[in-house]
Amino acid sequence: MYRSLRRALCAVAAALLLPLGAGAHTAHAAAVPGAGYWHTSGRQILDAAGQPVRIAGINWFGFETGNHVVHGLWSRDYKSMIDQMKSLGYNTIRLPYSDDIFKSSTVPSSIDFSSGKNADLQGLNSLQVMDKLVAYAGQDGLKVILDRHRPDSGGQSALWYTAAVPESTWIADLKALAARYKGQDTVIGIDLHNEPHDPACWGCGDTATDWRLAAERAGDAVLSANPDLLVFVEGVQTYGGVSGWWGGNLMGVAQYPVRLDVANRVVYSAHDYATSVAQQPWFSDPSFPANMPGVWDKYWGYIFKQNIAPVWVGEFGTTLSSTVDQKWLAALVSYLRPTSTYGADSFHWTFWSWNPNSGDTGGILKDDWVSVDTVKDGYLASVKAPLFPGTGTGGGGGGGGSTAACSASYTVSSDWGSGFNAEVKVTNTGTSAIGSWKVTWTWGGSQQVTNMWNASYTQTGSSVTAVNATHNGSVPVGGSVSFGFGGAPGSGGAPSVSCTAA
């Protein structure tokens, strides 16, 4: 969804609670979940070793626009952006694209190469840039979902094809991507088409408009090129006379599930938005926001609750400028199920968006493409999840055993006298992955932590102890995570910090 452009171009069963129980606790003794290709089992996604995983990520758009490359590279190096996503606890990137990137004439634009930025992207076409992003994300322990967002960079289409981009081109390009990344399990799957909407139908039987049948044709084509991928299938707008968000109506799955030649590959995807995108009748319901779980149950939540298949909310976002939107986001995050309570037995998600230039939602980054909207990011803290094993060539000690160790660095990012913001970076300096960390320091003055994100803290006098959040305790060898906080008063400088790992 490139929202501002799209708007310009176009005007329940009881919950089956699968217990985490003892099986969840044994996961600590096993490898970090996420290795290899993934598959589904009921409502969960499992890694190659059968361990449940949770997609908790972010949309980074641009390949689907006239730039033909992710946005923000006019301002920053792509590696620093992916590192920052990792530091904030996002474990997956959804990359929207259009079929234009397969044309030999397509050249990515608006990339800054000054001062060494993006140096290894010079002279590359869009697909080659995508290769670089995928490789670096995998090194950082993030997974990637490729999203066929549009037939061309001109705008969103209701159906999966247009006169200029027929279904045959759509399927050929999907197969080409599946084959391109075969053997690179950083790419876990492909979102077949973004936001099908009227006249797209589900289960109507008309091959020209039945999205469910088209998804089966495309999904089988993808799996013929790489049978290990997940196939992400969005909903439609209207089913049985009931309308909702574009791509957000999965009511038809109950009667007409997607059937693929390879079992355990389908993940259903819903999109859900707030009033900053468009008004919907449920926002003005007198019981709002208490009515929202019932709304989500009806459109897509039942698929998870009835153990039919995993559900991924591939897009949701808001400017947070209204009280209604704030209540909506808090309710949705709660509905998605906190990781600390449910682990990976939860809904999957990728927030819209990383980019600040999404016209009616904004992003996690502010307009400078560097600063984080800590309020928006903070809403997501409870549903973030651990990173996955990276593909980098990090440490590994020889022969005798391994050591858990970490270091920490403290940086004051802003200081206005009466208060300040700081960031602490935790780096795994040992020879084995760590599952948790703790950072301590003592101020020389009267500073007090006023709020903290991506960690929890206690303060006694001038001594502070910060402990990892659920989503960022796991750090691979050589890897880093960060947390930040606000404090008062300012003018305190940076104290010495120590880190312990387990």
Side-chain angles (χ1 to χ4, degrees):
M1 169 197 93
Y2 188 25
R3 286 287 159 186
S4 57
L5 180 55
R6 194 194 80 174
R7 289 205 302 184
L9 293 168
C10 64
V12 154
L16 175 64
L17 296 179
L18 304 180
L20 292 177
H25 298 295
T26 61
H28 294 292
V32 178
Y37 281 108
W38 299 353
H39 60 282
T40 70
S41 178
R43 70 190 193 181
Q44 292 193 324
I45 298 176
L46 307 180
D47 69 6
Q51 299 183 95
V53 293
R54 184 177 201 182
I55 297 168
I58 195 80
N59 284 271
W60 188 9
F61 67 78
F63 278 108
E64 83 285 17
T65 71
N67 298 100
H68 304 115
V69 72
V70 287
H71 287 178
L73 302 190
W74 54 68
S75 177
R76 293 178 61 187
D77 183 87
Y78 75 95
K79 294 178 181 177
S80 74
M81 296 257 243
I82 295 172
D83 286 343
Q84 189 178 21
M85 294 176 194
K86 173 185 176 180
S87 75
L88 291 171
Y90 298 102
N91 66 20
T92 304
I93 305 171
R94 179 177 182 254
L95 285 178
Y97 71 89
S98 85
D99 292 78
D100 281 350
I101 67 172
F102 295 90
K103 298 177 180 178
S104 59
S105 59
T106 297
V107 178
S109 63
S110 302
I111 303 176
D112 182 9
F113 299 113
S114 67
S115 304
K117 289 194 291 290
N118 303 302
D120 58 343
L121 304 185
Q122 294 197 62
L124 302 186
N125 62 31
S126 295
L127 283 169
Q128 291 167 333
V129 172
M130 184 178 283
D131 293 343
K132 291 286 189 179
L133 267 63
V134 166
Y136 194 78
Q139 181 180 318
D140 256 5
L142 280 71
K143 296 293 188 180
V144 172
I145 299 170
L146 303 176
D147 156 46
R148 195 286 193 140
H149 210 73
R150 299 171 173 167
D152 58 59
S153 60
Q156 184 63 42
S157 62
L159 299 172
W160 53 96
Y161 62 91
T162 62
V165 184
E167 178 175 305
S168 58
T169 299
W170 170 57
I171 288 180
D173 291 344
L174 287 170
K175 287 182 68 175
L177 275 184
R180 187 181 191 92
Y181 295 110
K182 187 174 183 178
Q184 299 184 54
D185 57 33
T186 295
V187 176
I188 55 169
I190 300 179
D191 187 345
L192 297 177
H193 178 63
N194 185 68
E195 297 187 348
H197 54 279
D198 297 345
C201 60
W202 190 291
C204 66
D206 181 349
T207 55
T209 56
D210 191 330
W211 167 237
R212 177 253 199 165
L213 294 179
E216 291 178 344
R217 296 191 294 272
D220 283 337
V222 165
L223 294 172
S224 72
N226 183 353
D228 293 315
L229 291 175
L230 295 174
V231 174
F232 295 90
V233 181
E234 297 187 29
V236 291
Q237 179 183 0
T238 304
Y239 178 80
V242 179
S243 293
W245 294 110
W246 288 5
N249 190 333
L250 285 159
M251 294 168 63
V253 170
Q255 185 174 356
Y256 302 106
V258 171
R259 307 150 301 178
L260 299 180
D261 292 341
V262 181
N264 303 317
R265 293 293 180 270
V266 176
V267 177
Y268 292 104
S269 175
H271 289 186
D272 203 87
Y273 279 97
T275 60
S276 62
V277 172
Q279 184 60 247
Q280 296 282 6
W282 43 82
F283 294 127
S284 55
D285 188 301
S287 64
F288 177 85
N291 63 317
M292 292 309 302
V295 172
W296 294 318
D297 283 349
K298 178 177 74 172
Y299 282 101
W300 44 267
Y302 76 93
I303 298 170
F304 174 85
K305 292 188 173 184
Q306 294 180 23
N307 202 35
I308 296 170
V311 176
W312 169 55
V313 184
E315 292 185 17
F316 63 107
T318 168
T319 60
L320 285 180
S321 57
S322 73
T323 301
V324 169
D325 286 23
Q326 293 160 16
K327 291 180 178 179
W328 164 84
L329 184 55
L332 179 56
V333 167
S334 176
Y335 184 83
L336 296 179
R337 297 163 64 100
T339 303
S340 61
T341 304
Y342 298 101
D345 183 29
S346 303
F347 292 94
H348 305 272
W349 58 273
T350 44
F351 189 73
W352 187 277
S353 61
W354 181 246
N355 310 46
N357 60 327
S358 178
D360 44 13
T361 65
I364 291 298
L365 291 185
K366 295 184 177 180
D367 289 342
D368 62 4
W369 282 94
V370 176
S371 304
V372 174
D373 185 330
T374 56
V375 174
K376 193 175 288 187
D377 182 62
Y379 271 89
L380 305 172
S382 67
V383 290
K384 290 181 181 177
L387 290 157
F388 307 113
T391 59
T393 56
S402 56
T403 304
C406 60
S407 65
S409 60
Y410 179 117
T411 304
V412 177
S413 53
S414 59
D415 191 326
W416 55 94
S418 61
F420 67 99
N421 287 327
E423 180 179 59
V424 178
K425 182 178 181 180
V426 176
T427 301
N428 182 345
T429 57
T431 58
S432 65
I434 60 177
S436 62
W437 46 262
K438 177 175 67 176
V439 176
T440 59
W441 68 87
T442 300
W443 278 308
S446 58
Q447 288 80 13
Q448 294 284 321
V449 176
T450 55
N451 66 313
M452 184 174 287
W453 48 95
N454 294 316
S456 58
Y457 75 96
T458 57
Q459 180 168 355
T460 304
S462 57
S463 297
V464 180
T465 298
V467 177
N468 62 271
T470 303
H471 65 267
N472 64 357
S474 249
V475 188
V477 174
S480 300
V481 296
S482 298
F483 67 92
F485 64 91
S491 306
S496 297
V497 292
S498 62
C499 184
T500 55

